[in-house]
Amino acid sequence: MGNDKLRATPAARSLAQRMGVDLNAIAGSGYKGRIHAEDVAEFSYEKAGGITPLAKKIADTFGLDTSSIQGTGFRGKITRADVAKALDGRYYPNLEDIIDPFTDTDGAVASAPVAGSAAAKASAPASSAAAPAAAAAPKGDIEIVPMNMMRRVIAKRMADSYFSAPTFVLNYEVDMYEATKLRKQLLEPIKEKTGKKLTVTDIISIAVVRTLMNHPYINATLSADGSQIELHNYVNLAMAVGMDEGLLVPVVHGAEKLGLVDLMLRLKDITERAVGKKLTPADQEGSTFTISNLGMYGVESFTSIINQPNSAILSIAGTKEMPVVRNGEVVIRPIMKMSLTSDHRVINGLAAAKFMQELKATLESPLPLLV
């Protein structure tokens, strides 16, 4: 089937072209299988299985347990047709009556069933009773901002990660005096050679990559059924890039093979393309470990949610001049706080502590990173 015969919205076609996604491989969630931009975005990010937004809306409304439904969509995804089949004969004699109320003229999911449906009739008395209370307590001025596609995908992925992985967090303070000193020494030579500015994030990143190679469980992935742990002998380093409209996590593949300058150039390239919205699906797939850095915004400490299927994520906060004791004397040092969020199904506390201990030592004596 060619793209000209596909039922797809203009927004879906545009997003698919930009992300390099084949529309023929996508099961549309709209009326009669029409493909929406949301389907394209979810196809790029989601694993096999799952359920389309429209199918979930219908199932939730009628309290249908979808765990036993065998999806017929792409990669086993449950579609609205699968849900309609499961509901056949229970609520409506005509399956179209199940599908149509949840689809507006654009094929988008409506916010509630239309008047006359069983669910709408059942909820009518409660709505009527609530009306006087709402009138008695008027709201102030508000602005309703629809979640864009990027934000909706992020919301789903973060919720899935937060509620599926039992995590623990380790917090460390790092003396960045030597790392800052090294950056100052390398700043001009690297800028003269590449035209790019070396940052502390670049030094942290190379330290993370080198340290990960000694701690395979921090750089691991749990299988979908939770029965196996995949240990990687390579590092695909992901860097969280925040924008006003959402968050992207581009990946530097094969980071363990790169030196400081090459890693710096790759990181700047993917960051610039992320901000310019020029990333391909391949640029966002296959990560084994993620760094989230908010230090440039003055954040003193924070904890990140794991970017699954990674088993851990490193949070980098700001560097602050603080008094510390060195050789029995109080001195002022640039102290950076960092935290590691780990999936306890894969990583135990001792393994995480050893990784952070080595990373801290590497950042406090960073010269070997140049070798």
Side-chain angles (χ1 to χ4, degrees):
M1 180 184 293
N3 276 8
D4 56 329
K5 295 182 179 180
L6 284 173
R7 292 176 58 84
T9 65
R13 293 181 184 276
S14 176
L15 183 61
Q17 183 178 13
R18 181 163 61 84
M19 300 186 73
V21 175
D22 182 6
L23 286 172
N24 290 292
I26 300 176
S29 62
Y31 180 54
K32 293 186 178 180
R34 193 181 192 196
I35 300 172
H36 295 274
E38 184 177 63
D39 301 321
V40 178
E42 288 190 348
F43 175 83
S44 175
Y45 286 103
E46 290 187 348
K47 297 179 182 178
I51 183 170
T52 65
L54 180 56
K56 187 176 187 305
K57 183 73 175 178
I58 298 172
D60 288 348
T61 299
F62 294 114
L64 178 66
D65 181 5
T66 60
S67 61
S68 61
I69 297 178
Q70 182 65 42
T72 60
F74 183 73
R75 294 188 295 179
K77 178 167 286 190
I78 298 172
T79 67
R80 53 104 173 101
D82 300 323
V83 173
K85 183 178 179 181
L87 289 170
D88 188 16
R90 275 191 267 173
Y91 298 98
Y92 294 99
N94 185 355
L95 293 184
E96 292 302 312
D97 291 336
I98 297 174
I99 300 171
D100 286 348
F102 296 90
T103 312
D104 61 22
T105 55
D106 256 341
V109 177
S111 59
V114 296
S117 70
K121 289 178 179 177
S123 62
S127 300
S128 300
K139 296 180 179 179
D141 291 338
I142 62 173
E143 179 183 0
I144 304 298
V145 180
M147 292 180 73
N148 62 28
M149 193 58 55
M150 185 187 301
R151 175 56 60 189
R152 292 172 71 178
V153 172
I154 293 166
K156 184 180 186 306
R157 294 184 69 204
M158 291 298 99
D160 289 346
S161 177
Y162 183 83
F163 290 111
S164 66
T167 61
F168 66 95
V169 180
L170 298 183
N171 298 292
Y172 279 72
E173 291 186 349
V174 182
D175 186 341
M176 295 295 287
Y177 176 79
E178 292 296 335
T180 302
K181 179 180 176 182
L182 178 63
R183 174 184 175 270
K184 289 180 179 177
Q185 293 173 335
L186 297 176
L187 188 62
E188 287 305 319
I190 290 179
K191 188 175 182 180
E192 183 177 342
K193 180 180 178 180
T194 67
K196 302 293 183 179
K197 188 176 180 181
L198 179 70
T199 67
V200 172
T201 300
D202 299 323
I203 295 176
I204 295 172
S205 297
I206 191 69
V208 166
V209 171
R210 299 284 176 84
T211 308
L212 282 172
M213 294 302 292
N214 299 325
H215 300 268
Y217 280 86
I218 311 299
N219 190 45
T221 297
L222 184 67
S223 65
D225 62 2
S227 65
Q228 295 179 321
I229 297 174
E230 187 176 294
L231 304 179
H232 308 110
N233 57 5
Y234 56 88
V235 178
N236 289 345
L237 184 66
M239 184 68 66
V241 179
M243 298 178 290
D244 290 340
E245 60 268 44
L247 178 73
L248 291 174
V249 192
V251 183
V252 174
H253 296 88
E256 81 286 352
K257 300 175 183 177
L258 305 176
L260 175 60
V261 174
D262 289 334
L263 180 60
M264 176 199 77
L265 293 174
R266 292 279 294 277
L267 285 170
K268 292 188 187 309
D269 174 59
I270 62 169
T271 300
E272 290 170 2
R273 287 194 288 119
V275 173
K277 300 178 182 178
K278 297 179 180 179
L279 294 174
T280 67
D283 292 326
Q284 303 170 74
E285 297 173 349
S287 66
T288 61
F289 188 85
T290 303
I291 295 176
S292 180
N293 188 354
L294 293 177
M296 64 286 293
Y297 298 104
V299 176
E300 294 189 0
S301 65
F302 71 104
T303 300
S304 299
I305 296 175
I306 295 173
N307 175 37
Q308 291 186 348
N310 298 175
S311 294
I313 184 170
L314 184 70
S315 305
I316 303 296
T319 300
K320 186 177 180 180
E321 296 286 338
M322 296 179 63
V324 295
V325 177
R326 293 288 185 269
N327 300 320
E329 296 183 357
V330 177
V331 295
I332 303 299
R333 293 285 194 177
I335 303 298
M336 179 191 75
K337 293 182 179 180
M338 62 181 182
S339 69
L340 182 74
T341 306
S342 301
D343 186 338
H344 221 328
R345 297 173 298 177
V346 178
I347 304 168
N348 60 36
L350 179 60
K354 286 183 175 179
F355 168 77
M356 291 293 277
Q357 188 178 50
E358 182 177 334
L359 178 60
K360 172 182 166 70
T362 301
L363 288 171
E364 292 181 343
S365 299
L367 276 178
L369 294 174
L370 302 181
V371 178

